[in-house]
Amino acid sequence: MSSWKERALVFLCWGILIGIHLLLLSGCLLNPSRSVEIVGQVLDAESQAPFADALVVLRAMDIQTNTDQNGFFSLLVPTDKEEVEITAWAPGYYIASSKVSPPVEDLKLTIREHHQKDHSEYAWIDPTPATSDNACGNCHPMILPQWEQNAHGLAISNPRFFSFYNGTDTRGNLIDQSGYVKDFPGTSGNCANCHAPGAGVDAPFNTDLNLERGQVASGIHCDFCHKVGGVYLAPSNAQVYNNSAGVISMRLLRPPEGEQIFIGPYPDIHDPDTYNPVFHQSDFCAPCHQFSFWGTQIYNSYGEWLESSYAEDGVTCQDCHMAPTGDQYFALPEAGGLQHSPENIPSHQQLGLKDKAFMQSTLDLAISHEITNGDLDLTVSLTNVAAGHHVPTDHPGRHIILVVRAYDSQGTAIACSQCPQIPPWAGNFAGEAGVVYAKVLRDAKTGAFPVVNYWNQTLIHSDNRIAADERRDEHFYFRAADDPITIEIQVIFRRMFQPQADVYAWDLTEIILAEETITILP
């Protein structure tokens, strides 16, 4: 007869086995859904040859695979799905799709090649709902309002742009100021390449924007962006070629008569859609956000991003400016839209200057001080914590004003004994203690600065903007009194220098990015 220790060991082993069995049983009961297999093959529609390395996706779910060298694939699908849609795609091809009830052992998907040339005779689709059966707003009512209010949707009607183009104020009155068509009469310029690419694609140096003003199909609209099949960047540095701004650096694929194509960020939308990874990449934004005039770099947010840690870490323009808002559909269910994970649905708000909270998230304000021999040494630190490019960026009229004011206990202003001073061109803040962060252009002929009419030859007079991740420390010295000193600090964004804004009748769109008041005891 076995000892009690041996019997105890046997019981323990049996207990462990029973416990494992119960755990497995409970797992089955709690997770009755098991995966079933869908096996199939992807073929070229014309040759019927097997298609290797095609991307196969269970639509609207994060389940995908690639075909083997013989075009075969296998997908595991949850059994709780009575019907699923399987899609297949490869570069240069439309997305094929098929609805099936799993399991399936012999699914065939044939992908057809799309055209490779741009067809200028194609007529752009007006996105406005009910203007046609194909109007984008018919099926995408959640996206259309976002686009209508963003800078791209308003590019062809923006009165600030036309004030510069024509040399008028924003109300259309002629003024004694520079404007492109005033400075270069008889020409149209290349402004349309970015502001009206729908028209500029066929006449990049001969599109009169006054004739295109307000014409939706001439601007940056849904059908235009979703006909972009790629961008042309220099292989040596991944940047835009010289003198090739805007639509010139885009590969458009307008379809021939009788065909249609929509190019986008999803690999699982059925024909006539196709997928292009560039929609997830900053490259897509480069053509209109990096260019020079007369050899002077004017817009360069893409180039600034390219040199930042954001590019190194794979954080793209779209990640910040098209961040998801929680939508689960990009198309109405009745139009074929399926529910997606919210993090996979980018917003078309394209956040920017109009979005106060977005702008305020850009900079971090920190204050420190020391009192030595009766003098107050105040350090104001600004850190670019959320922009993957310089702050501010792009249009050279944009600038940030740091204003520092000091008061005694009676509310009387205390003069700064040694401080940087805000320059005269900062308008109503001129002469105060503070700093202006801006790319300042100087007219190459007259030497005047700051100027913003970069269609004439300009040079960079100075550039002290704050790069991505950079911290800037500014020092202000005050004679400390025997009573408390109150320090007021504001960080203010303006889209235009006040003297020019007044002449052109621009709304300054002043945004207080950060502000703080502290009291320093003697």
Side-chain angles (χ1 to χ4, degrees), residues 276-337:
N276 195 320
V278 76
F279 278 77
H280 295 289
Q281 300 164 0
S282 294
D283 295 13
F284 190 83
C285 311
C288 286
H289 291 275
Q290 185 186 53
F291 61 86
S292 302
F293 279 88
W294 304 99
T296 299
Q297 191 84 61
I298 304 299
Y299 281 54
N300 195 32
S301 56
Y302 171 75
E304 294 159 5
W305 168 85
L306 201 60
E307 296 178 353
S308 75
S309 66
Y310 289 72
E312 186 177 346
D313 295 339
V315 180
T316 67
C317 306
Q318 293 90 330
D319 288 333
C320 295
H321 294 276
M322 299 184 71
T325 57
D327 287 341
Q328 294 180 296
Y329 292 88
F330 61 86
L332 293 172
E334 54 266 34

Coordinates of all heavy atoms in Angstrom, one line a residue, residues 276-337:
N276 N -3.8 53.5 -52.3 CA -2.5 54.0 -52.4 C -2.0 54.4 -51.0 O -2.5 55.3 -50.4 CB -2.4 55.2 -53.4 CG -1.0 55.5 -53.8 OD1 -0.1 55.4 -53.1 ND2 -0.8 55.8 -55.1
P277 N -0.9 53.8 -50.6 CA -0.3 54.1 -49.2 C 0.1 55.6 -49.1 O 0.2 56.0 -47.9 CB 0.9 53.2 -49.1 CG 0.6 52.1 -50.1 CD -0.1 52.7 -51.2
V278 N 0.3 56.3 -50.2 CA 0.7 57.7 -50.1 C -0.3 58.6 -49.3 O 0.1 59.6 -48.7 CB 1.0 58.3 -51.5 CG1 -0.3 58.6 -52.2 CG2 1.9 59.5 -51.4
F279 N -1.5 58.1 -49.3 CA -2.6 58.9 -48.5 C -2.3 58.9 -47.0 O -2.9 59.7 -46.3 CB -4.0 58.3 -48.8 CG -4.5 58.8 -50.1 CD1 -4.1 58.3 -51.3 CD2 -5.5 59.8 -50.1 CE1 -4.6 58.8 -52.5 CE2 -6.0 60.3 -51.3 CZ -5.6 59.8 -52.5
H280 N -1.5 58.0 -46.6 CA -1.1 57.9 -45.2 C 0.2 58.6 -44.9 O 0.7 58.6 -43.7 CB -1.0 56.4 -44.7 CG -2.3 55.7 -44.7 ND1 -3.3 55.9 -43.8 CD2 -2.7 54.7 -45.5 CE1 -4.3 55.1 -44.1 NE2 -4.0 54.3 -45.1
Q281 N 0.9 59.1 -45.9 CA 2.2 59.6 -45.8 C 2.3 61.1 -46.0 O 1.5 61.7 -46.7 CB 3.1 58.9 -46.9 CG 3.2 57.4 -46.7 CD 3.7 56.7 -48.0 OE1 4.0 57.4 -48.9 NE2 3.7 55.4 -47.9
S282 N 3.3 61.7 -45.3 CA 3.5 63.2 -45.5 C 3.9 63.5 -46.9 O 3.7 64.7 -47.3 CB 4.6 63.6 -44.5 OG 4.2 63.5 -43.2
D283 N 4.4 62.6 -47.7 CA 4.7 62.9 -49.1 C 3.5 63.5 -49.8 O 3.7 64.3 -50.7 CB 5.1 61.6 -49.8 CG 6.4 61.0 -49.2 OD1 6.8 61.4 -48.2 OD2 6.9 60.1 -49.9
F284 N 2.3 63.0 -49.4 CA 1.1 63.5 -50.1 C 0.9 65.0 -50.0 O 0.4 65.7 -50.9 CB -0.1 62.8 -49.5 CG -1.4 63.0 -50.3 CD1 -1.7 62.3 -51.4 CD2 -2.3 64.0 -49.9 CE1 -2.9 62.5 -52.1 CE2 -3.5 64.2 -50.6 CZ -3.8 63.5 -51.7
C285 N 1.4 65.6 -48.8 CA 1.3 67.0 -48.6 C 2.4 67.8 -49.1 O 2.3 69.1 -49.2 CB 1.2 67.2 -47.0 SG 0.0 66.1 -46.2
A286 N 3.5 67.2 -49.5 CA 4.7 67.9 -49.8 C 4.6 68.9 -51.0 O 5.1 70.0 -50.9 CB 5.8 66.9 -50.1
P287 N 3.9 68.5 -52.1 CA 3.9 69.5 -53.2 C 3.4 70.9 -52.9 O 3.9 71.8 -53.5 CB 3.0 68.7 -54.2 CG 3.2 67.3 -53.9 CD 3.3 67.2 -52.4
C288 N 2.5 71.0 -52.0 CA 1.9 72.4 -51.7 C 2.5 72.9 -50.5 O 2.1 74.1 -50.1 CB 0.4 72.3 -51.7 SG -0.4 72.2 -53.3
H289 N 3.3 72.2 -49.8 CA 3.9 72.7 -48.5 C 5.4 72.7 -48.5 O 6.0 72.6 -47.4 CB 3.3 71.9 -47.4 CG 1.8 72.2 -47.2 ND1 1.3 73.2 -46.4 CD2 0.7 71.5 -47.7 CE1 0.0 73.2 -46.5 NE2 -0.4 72.2 -47.2
Q290 N 6.0 72.9 -49.7 CA 7.4 73.1 -49.8 C 7.7 73.7 -51.2 O 7.6 73.0 -52.2 CB 8.2 71.8 -49.6 CG 9.7 72.1 -49.6 CD 10.5 70.8 -49.6 OE1 10.3 69.9 -50.4 NE2 11.4 70.7 -48.6
F291 N 7.9 75.0 -51.2 CA 8.3 75.6 -52.5 C 9.0 76.9 -52.3 O 8.9 77.5 -51.2 CB 7.1 75.8 -53.4 CG 6.0 76.7 -52.9 CD1 6.1 78.0 -53.1 CD2 4.9 76.1 -52.2 CE1 5.1 78.9 -52.7 CE2 3.9 77.0 -51.8 CZ 4.0 78.3 -52.0
S292 N 9.7 77.3 -53.3 CA 10.5 78.6 -53.3 C 10.0 79.5 -54.4 O 9.5 79.1 -55.4 CB 12.0 78.2 -53.5 OG 12.5 77.3 -52.5
F293 N 10.3 80.8 -54.2 CA 10.1 81.8 -55.2 C 11.5 82.6 -55.4 O 12.1 83.0 -54.4 CB 9.0 82.8 -54.9 CG 7.7 82.3 -55.2 CD1 7.0 81.6 -54.2 CD2 7.0 82.6 -56.4 CE1 5.7 81.1 -54.5 CE2 5.8 82.2 -56.6 CZ 5.1 81.4 -55.7
W294 N 11.9 82.7 -56.6 CA 13.2 83.4 -56.9 C 14.3 82.8 -56.1 O 15.3 83.5 -55.7 CB 13.0 84.9 -56.6 CG 11.9 85.6 -57.3 CD1 10.7 85.8 -56.8 CD2 11.9 86.0 -58.7 NE1 9.9 86.5 -57.8 CE2 10.7 86.6 -58.9 CE3 12.9 86.1 -59.7 CZ2 10.4 87.2 -60.1 CZ3 12.6 86.7 -60.9 CH2 11.3 87.2 -61.1
G295 N 14.3 81.5 -55.8 CA 15.3 80.9 -55.1 C 15.3 81.0 -53.6 O 16.1 80.5 -52.8
T296 N 14.3 81.7 -53.0 CA 14.1 81.8 -51.6 C 13.0 80.9 -51.1 O 11.9 80.9 -51.6 CB 13.7 83.3 -51.2 OG1 14.8 84.2 -51.6 CG2 13.5 83.4 -49.7
Q297 N 13.3 80.1 -50.1 CA 12.4 79.1 -49.5 C 11.3 79.9 -48.8 O 11.5 80.6 -47.9 CB 13.0 78.2 -48.6 CG 12.2 77.0 -48.2 CD 12.2 75.9 -49.1 OE1 13.3 75.3 -49.4 NE2 11.1 75.5 -49.7
I298 N 10.0 79.8 -49.3 CA 8.9 80.5 -48.7 C 8.1 79.5 -47.8 O 8.0 79.7 -46.6 CB 8.0 81.1 -49.8 CG1 8.8 82.0 -50.7 CG2 6.8 81.8 -49.1 CD1 9.4 83.2 -50.0
Y299 N 7.5 78.5 -48.4 CA 6.8 77.5 -47.6 C 7.7 76.3 -47.4 O 8.3 75.8 -48.4 CB 5.5 77.1 -48.3 CG 4.3 78.0 -48.2 CD1 4.4 79.4 -48.6 CD2 3.1 77.6 -47.8 CE1 3.4 80.2 -48.5 CE2 2.0 78.4 -47.7 CZ 2.1 79.8 -48.1 OH 1.1 80.6 -48.0
N300 N 7.7 75.8 -46.2 CA 8.6 74.6 -46.0 C 8.2 73.8 -44.8 O 9.0 73.1 -44.2 CB 10.1 75.1 -45.8 CG 11.1 74.0 -45.9 OD1 10.8 73.1 -46.7 ND2 12.1 74.1 -45.2
S301 N 6.9 73.7 -44.5 CA 6.5 72.8 -43.4 C 6.9 71.4 -43.6 O 7.2 70.7 -42.7 CB 5.0 73.0 -43.1 OG 4.3 72.7 -44.2
Y302 N 6.8 70.9 -44.9 CA 7.2 69.6 -45.2 C 8.7 69.4 -45.0 O 9.1 68.4 -44.3 CB 6.8 69.2 -46.6 CG 7.4 67.9 -47.1 CD1 6.8 66.7 -46.6 CD2 8.5 67.8 -47.9 CE1 7.3 65.4 -47.0 CE2 9.0 66.6 -48.3 CZ 8.4 65.4 -47.8 OH 9.0 64.2 -48.2
G303 N 9.5 70.3 -45.5 CA 10.9 70.2 -45.2 C 11.3 70.2 -43.8 O 12.2 69.5 -43.3
E304 N 10.6 71.1 -43.0 CA 10.9 71.1 -41.6 C 10.5 69.8 -40.9 O 11.2 69.4 -40.0 CB 10.1 72.3 -41.0 CG 10.6 73.7 -41.5 CD 9.5 74.8 -41.4 OE1 8.5 74.5 -40.8 OE2 9.8 75.9 -41.8
W305 N 9.4 69.3 -41.3 CA 9.0 68.0 -40.8 C 10.0 66.9 -41.1 O 10.4 66.1 -40.3 CB 7.6 67.6 -41.3 CG 7.2 66.1 -41.0 CD1 6.7 65.6 -39.9 CD2 7.5 65.0 -41.9 NE1 6.5 64.3 -40.0 CE2 7.0 63.9 -41.2 CE3 8.0 64.9 -43.2 CZ2 7.1 62.6 -41.8 CZ3 8.1 63.6 -43.7 CH2 7.6 62.5 -43.0
L306 N 10.5 66.9 -42.3 CA 11.4 65.9 -42.8 C 12.7 65.8 -41.9 O 13.3 64.8 -41.8 CB 11.8 66.2 -44.3 CG 12.3 65.0 -45.1 CD1 11.3 63.9 -45.2 CD2 12.7 65.5 -46.5
E307 N 13.1 67.0 -41.4 CA 14.3 67.1 -40.6 C 14.0 66.9 -39.1 O 14.9 67.0 -38.3 CB 15.0 68.4 -40.8 CG 15.5 68.6 -42.2 CD 16.1 70.0 -42.5 OE1 16.1 70.8 -41.5 OE2 16.7 70.2 -43.5
S308 N 12.8 66.6 -38.7 CA 12.4 66.5 -37.3 C 12.4 65.1 -36.8 O 12.4 64.1 -37.6 CB 11.0 67.2 -37.1 OG 10.0 66.3 -37.6
S309 N 12.2 65.0 -35.5 CA 12.1 63.7 -34.9 C 10.7 63.0 -35.3 O 10.6 61.8 -35.2 CB 12.1 63.8 -33.3 OG 11.0 64.6 -32.8
Y310 N 9.8 63.9 -35.6 CA 8.5 63.3 -36.0 C 8.6 62.4 -37.3 O 8.0 61.3 -37.3 CB 7.5 64.4 -36.3 CG 7.0 65.2 -35.1 CD1 7.9 66.0 -34.4 CD2 5.7 65.1 -34.6 CE1 7.5 66.7 -33.3 CE2 5.3 65.7 -33.5 CZ 6.2 66.6 -32.8 OH 5.8 67.3 -31.7
A311 N 9.4 62.9 -38.2 CA 9.6 62.1 -39.4 C 10.4 60.8 -39.1 O 10.0 59.7 -39.6 CB 10.4 62.9 -40.5
E312 N 11.4 60.9 -38.2 CA 12.2 59.8 -37.8 C 11.3 58.8 -37.1 O 11.5 57.5 -37.2 CB 13.3 60.3 -36.9 CG 14.3 59.2 -36.5 CD 15.4 59.7 -35.6 OE1 15.6 60.9 -35.6 OE2 16.1 58.9 -35.0
D313 N 10.3 59.2 -36.3 CA 9.4 58.3 -35.6 C 8.2 57.9 -36.3 O 7.4 57.2 -35.8 CB 9.0 59.0 -34.3 CG 10.1 59.3 -33.3 OD1 11.2 58.6 -33.4 OD2 10.0 60.2 -32.4
G314 N 8.1 58.4 -37.6 CA 6.9 58.0 -38.4 C 5.6 58.7 -38.1 O 4.5 58.2 -38.5
V315 N 5.7 59.8 -37.4 CA 4.5 60.6 -37.2 C 4.3 61.5 -38.4 O 5.1 62.4 -38.7 CB 4.6 61.5 -35.9 CG1 3.4 62.3 -35.6 CG2 5.0 60.6 -34.7
T316 N 3.2 61.4 -39.1 CA 2.9 62.1 -40.3 C 2.1 63.3 -40.1 O 1.5 63.5 -39.1 CB 2.2 61.1 -41.3 OG1 0.9 60.9 -40.8 CG2 3.0 59.8 -41.5
C317 N 2.0 64.1 -41.2 CA 1.1 65.3 -41.2 C -0.3 64.9 -40.9 O -1.0 65.5 -40.1 CB 1.1 66.0 -42.6 SG 2.8 66.4 -43.2
Q318 N -0.7 63.7 -41.5 CA -2.1 63.3 -41.3 C -2.4 62.9 -39.9 O -3.5 63.1 -39.4 CB -2.4 62.1 -42.2 CG -2.4 62.4 -43.7 CD -1.0 62.3 -44.3 OE1 0.0 62.5 -43.7 NE2 -0.9 61.9 -45.6
D319 N -1.4 62.4 -39.2 CA -1.6 62.0 -37.8 C -2.1 63.1 -36.9 O -2.9 62.9 -36.0 CB -0.3 61.4 -37.2 CG 0.0 60.0 -37.7 OD1 -0.9 59.3 -38.2 OD2 1.2 59.7 -37.8
C320 N -1.6 64.3 -37.2 CA -2.0 65.5 -36.4 C -3.2 66.3 -37.0 O -4.1 66.7 -36.3 CB -0.8 66.4 -36.2 SG 0.6 65.7 -35.3
H321 N -3.1 66.5 -38.3 CA -4.0 67.4 -39.0 C -5.3 66.7 -39.4 O -6.3 67.3 -39.8 CB -3.4 68.1 -40.2 CG -2.3 69.1 -39.7 ND1 -2.6 70.4 -39.4 CD2 -1.0 68.9 -39.6 CE1 -1.4 71.0 -39.0 NE2 -0.4 70.1 -39.2
M322 N -5.3 65.4 -39.4 CA -6.5 64.6 -39.8 C -6.7 63.5 -38.7 O -7.2 62.4 -39.1 CB -6.3 63.9 -41.2 CG -6.1 64.9 -42.3 SD -6.0 64.2 -43.9 CE -7.7 63.6 -44.2
A323 N -6.5 63.9 -37.5 CA -6.7 62.9 -36.4 C -8.1 62.5 -36.3 O -9.1 63.3 -36.5 CB -6.3 63.6 -35.1
P324 N -8.4 61.2 -36.1 CA -9.8 60.7 -36.0 C -10.6 61.4 -34.9 O -10.0 61.9 -33.9 CB -9.6 59.2 -35.6 CG -8.2 58.9 -36.1 CD -7.4 60.1 -35.9
T325 N -11.9 61.5 -35.2 CA -12.8 62.2 -34.2 C -13.8 61.3 -33.6 O -14.6 61.8 -32.8 CB -13.5 63.4 -34.9 OG1 -14.2 62.8 -36.0 CG2 -12.5 64.4 -35.4
G326 N -13.7 60.0 -33.9 CA -14.6 59.1 -33.3 C -15.7 58.5 -34.3 O -16.4 57.6 -34.0
D327 N -15.7 59.1 -35.5 CA -16.6 58.5 -36.6 C -16.3 57.1 -36.8 O -15.1 56.7 -36.8 CB -16.4 59.3 -37.9 CG -17.1 60.7 -37.8 OD1 -17.9 60.9 -36.9 OD2 -16.7 61.6 -38.6
Q328 N -17.3 56.3 -37.1 CA -17.1 54.9 -37.4 C -17.4 54.5 -38.8 O -17.2 53.4 -39.3 CB -17.9 54.0 -36.4 CG -17.5 54.1 -35.0 CD -18.3 53.2 -34.1 OE1 -19.5 53.4 -33.9 NE2 -17.7 52.2 -33.5
Y329 N -18.0 55.5 -39.5 CA -18.3 55.3 -40.9 C -17.7 56.5 -41.7 O -17.8 57.6 -41.3 CB -19.9 55.3 -41.1 CG -20.6 54.1 -40.6 CD1 -21.0 54.2 -39.2 CD2 -20.8 53.0 -41.3 CE1 -21.7 53.1 -38.7 CE2 -21.5 51.9 -40.8 CZ -21.9 51.9 -39.5 OH -22.6 50.9 -38.9
F330 N -17.2 56.2 -42.9 CA -16.8 57.3 -43.8 C -17.8 57.4 -45.0 O -17.8 58.3 -45.8 CB -15.4 57.1 -44.3 CG -15.2 55.8 -45.1 CD1 -15.4 55.8 -46.5 CD2 -14.7 54.7 -44.5 CE1 -15.3 54.6 -47.2 CE2 -14.5 53.5 -45.2 CZ -14.8 53.5 -46.6
A331 N -18.7 56.4 -45.1 CA -19.8 56.4 -46.1 C -21.0 55.9 -45.4 O -21.0 55.0 -44.5 CB -19.4 55.6 -47.3
L332 N -22.2 56.3 -45.9 CA -23.5 55.9 -45.3 C -23.6 54.4 -45.5 O -23.2 53.8 -46.5 CB -24.6 56.6 -46.0 CG -24.7 58.1 -45.7 CD1 -25.8 58.7 -46.6 CD2 -25.1 58.4 -44.2
P333 N -24.2 53.7 -44.5 CA -24.4 52.2 -44.7 C -25.2 51.9 -45.9 O -24.9 50.9 -46.6 CB -25.1 51.9 -43.4 CG -24.7 52.9 -42.4 CD -24.5 54.1 -43.2
E334 N -26.2 52.7 -46.2 CA -27.0 52.4 -47.4 C -26.3 52.6 -48.7 O -26.8 52.2 -49.7 CB -28.3 53.3 -47.3 CG -28.1 54.8 -47.2 CD -28.2 55.2 -45.8 OE1 -27.7 54.5 -44.9 OE2 -28.6 56.4 -45.5
A335 N -25.1 53.3 -48.6 CA -24.3 53.5 -49.8 C -23.1 52.5 -49.8 O -22.2 52.6 -50.6 CB -23.8 54.9 -49.8
G336 N -23.2 51.5 -48.9 CA -22.2 50.4 -48.9 C -21.1 50.6 -47.8 O -20.2 49.8 -47.7
G337 N -21.3 51.7 -47.0 CA -20.3 51.9 -45.9 C -20.4 50.9 -44.8 O -21.5 50.6 -44.4

